[in-house]
């Protein structure tokens, strides 16, 4: 009984962690390269969830819906960056915060207008709506294993792209010195646009993956954005490796904290983790870019 409970909660924590990484990685990408504090990043998570629920209802194909939801969210991010956020690159952080807070309200209201105020429920097709035996006495939902597997694969692919490809080199160079890469003849605005679009697509992917296990509703991005910001702070600003490690820590601490501690202490366990790590390393676990 205790063993099955431990395994189940560990898998829940890992699944939450990889989902937080997808959101935090996009936020880190945008902030690390563009120096833009985009609090509306959680809205991309919400858009991805709504797009997945809508596309799945129309086409009935799970993986096609996942990919299309991420791509549509990335496109929305690219349009938003070009039309609304580009003027704020060189503005103070307070201006960026106020502008993106306004975008949160805009997207929340827009989703209510388009889809209505009631939450959407996602019906999974076939085998995804079943459970898989893990150990004796424990069957685990297939969709949660899929979320965990996809999150790990995307994290690995993102690491390889950032560390091994020319595009990743531009990302790391832009995070370190955008003036220098501009002097080398690189189109900095194009790099920024692609970075923002990829960050939005990652958040949309997280929302699409989470929609089968959470209610799809307006405002669902705010709570997860808070956790994503905590992940970025713990991991170190601009560090993808730090974001992954911190996301797994936050997922596990939040899951086991709510299970083992009284309600009040369990609810703030992640904040206590952040306070403890920042007291030890104020710059985060892995402050260097990359």
């Amino acid at each position: 009984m205790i063993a099955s409970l431990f395994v189940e909660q560990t898998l829940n924590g890992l699944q939450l962690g990889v989902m937080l990484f997808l959101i935090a990685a996009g936020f880190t990408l945008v902030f690390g390269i563009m120096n833009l504090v985009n609090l509306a990043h959680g809205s991309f998570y919400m858009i991805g969830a709504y797009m997945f629920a809508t596309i799945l209802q129309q086409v009935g194909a799970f993986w096609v819906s996942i990919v299309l939801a991420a791509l549509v969210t990335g496109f929305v991010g690219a349009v938003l960056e070009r039309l609304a956020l580009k003027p704020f690159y060189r503005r103070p952080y307070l201006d960026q915060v106020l502008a993106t807070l306004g975008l949160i309200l805009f997207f929340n209201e827009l989703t209510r207008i388009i889809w209505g105020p009631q939450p959407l429920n996602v019906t999974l097709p076939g085998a995804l709506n079943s459970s898989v035996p893990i150990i004796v006495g424990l069957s685990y939902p297939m969709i949660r294993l899929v979320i965990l597997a996809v999150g790990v694969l995307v994290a690995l692919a993102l690491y390889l792209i950032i560390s091994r490809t020319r595009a990743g080199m531009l990302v790391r160079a832009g995070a370190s010195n955008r003036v220098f890469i501009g002097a080398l003849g690189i189109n900095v605005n194009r790099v920024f646009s692609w970075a923002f679009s990829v960050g939005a697509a990652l958040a949309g992917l997280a929302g699409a993956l989470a929609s089968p296990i959470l209610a799809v509703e307006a405002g669902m991005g705010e709570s997860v954005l808070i956790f994503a910001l905590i992940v970025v702070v713990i991991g170190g600003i601009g560090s993808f490796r730090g974001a992954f490690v911190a996301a797994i820590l936050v997922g596990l601490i939040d899951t086991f904290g709510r299970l083992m501690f009284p309600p009040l202490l369990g609810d703030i366990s992640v904040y206590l983790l952040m306070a403890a790590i920042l007291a030890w390393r104020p710059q985060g676990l892995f402050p260097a870019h990359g």
Side-chain angles (χ1 to χ4, degrees):
M1 179 66 180
I2 295 178
S4 62
L5 180 63
F6 176 79
V7 172
E8 180 181 19
Q9 295 307 314
T10 299
L11 289 172
N12 286 342
L14 292 174
Q15 176 250 306
L16 174 60
V18 297
M19 196 165 60
L20 288 175
F21 170 74
L22 293 177
I23 305 169
F27 189 89
T28 295
L29 190 65
V30 171
F31 184 73
I33 296 178
M34 304 159 72
N35 206 29
L36 176 70
V37 181
N38 178 27
L39 295 187
H41 192 71
S43 296
F44 297 134
Y45 171 83
M46 177 182 67
I47 292 171
Y50 269 101
M51 292 308 305
F52 171 77
T54 302
I55 296 171
L56 182 64
Q57 187 177 30
Q58 297 299 318
V59 304
F62 178 83
W63 293 110
V64 172
S65 302
I66 288 285
V67 173
L68 289 179
L71 291 176
V72 170
T73 308
F75 175 75
V76 171
V79 173
L80 181 69
E81 185 268 343
R82 181 172 293 273
L83 297 182
L85 294 178
K86 185 169 289 187
F88 289 90
Y89 287 164
R90 301 187 182 278
R91 299 280 291 272
Y93 288 145
L94 180 59
D95 292 355
Q96 297 174 3
V97 168
L98 292 175
T100 53
L101 280 175
L103 288 173
I104 291 175
L105 300 177
F106 168 78
F107 281 119
N108 285 347
E109 196 59 34
L110 183 63
T111 54
R112 292 189 184 98
I113 293 172
I114 296 175
W115 285 281
Q118 298 301 321
L120 301 182
N121 293 315
V122 175
T123 301
L124 291 171
L128 291 174
N129 199 18
S130 62
S131 298
V132 177
I134 302 296
I135 60 173
V136 177
L138 173 63
S139 292
Y140 199 71
M142 172 66 79
I143 184 58
R144 288 185 176 269
L145 292 175
V146 169
I147 293 172
L148 178 58
V150 172
V152 170
L153 289 175
V154 172
L156 178 60
L158 190 61
Y159 168 76
L160 293 175
I161 291 171
I162 293 297
S163 62
R164 304 291 176 85
T165 66
R166 184 175 184 274
M169 178 191 67
L170 293 178
V171 167
R172 288 181 281 115
S176 300
N177 193 324
R178 72 180 74 181
V179 176
F180 180 72
I181 66 168
L184 291 176
I186 304 299
N187 189 326
V188 179
N189 288 332
R190 183 175 299 174
V191 173
F192 282 6
S193 295
W194 275 104
F196 196 94
S197 180
V198 170
L202 288 171
L205 174 63
L209 290 171
S211 58
I213 60 176
L214 299 174
V216 179
E217 57 186 347
M220 64 184 292
E222 276 82 278
S223 58
V224 76
L225 177 67
I226 294 174
F227 269 28
L229 290 173
I230 291 174
V231 166
V232 172
V233 171
I234 290 176
I237 301 297
S239 172
F240 290 95
R241 177 177 56 170
F244 183 78
V245 173
I248 298 301
L249 280 175
V250 168
L252 291 172
I253 291 297
D254 182 68
T255 301
F256 280 100
R258 295 178 187 275
L259 175 70
M260 299 172 60
F261 301 132
L264 179 59
L265 189 59
D267 290 342
I268 65 172
S269 57
V270 171
Y271 303 99
L272 295 176
L273 171 69
M274 180 178 67
I277 290 178
L278 293 183
W280 169 50
R281 287 178 66 86
Q283 72 274 35
L285 295 176
F286 302 96
H289 292 288

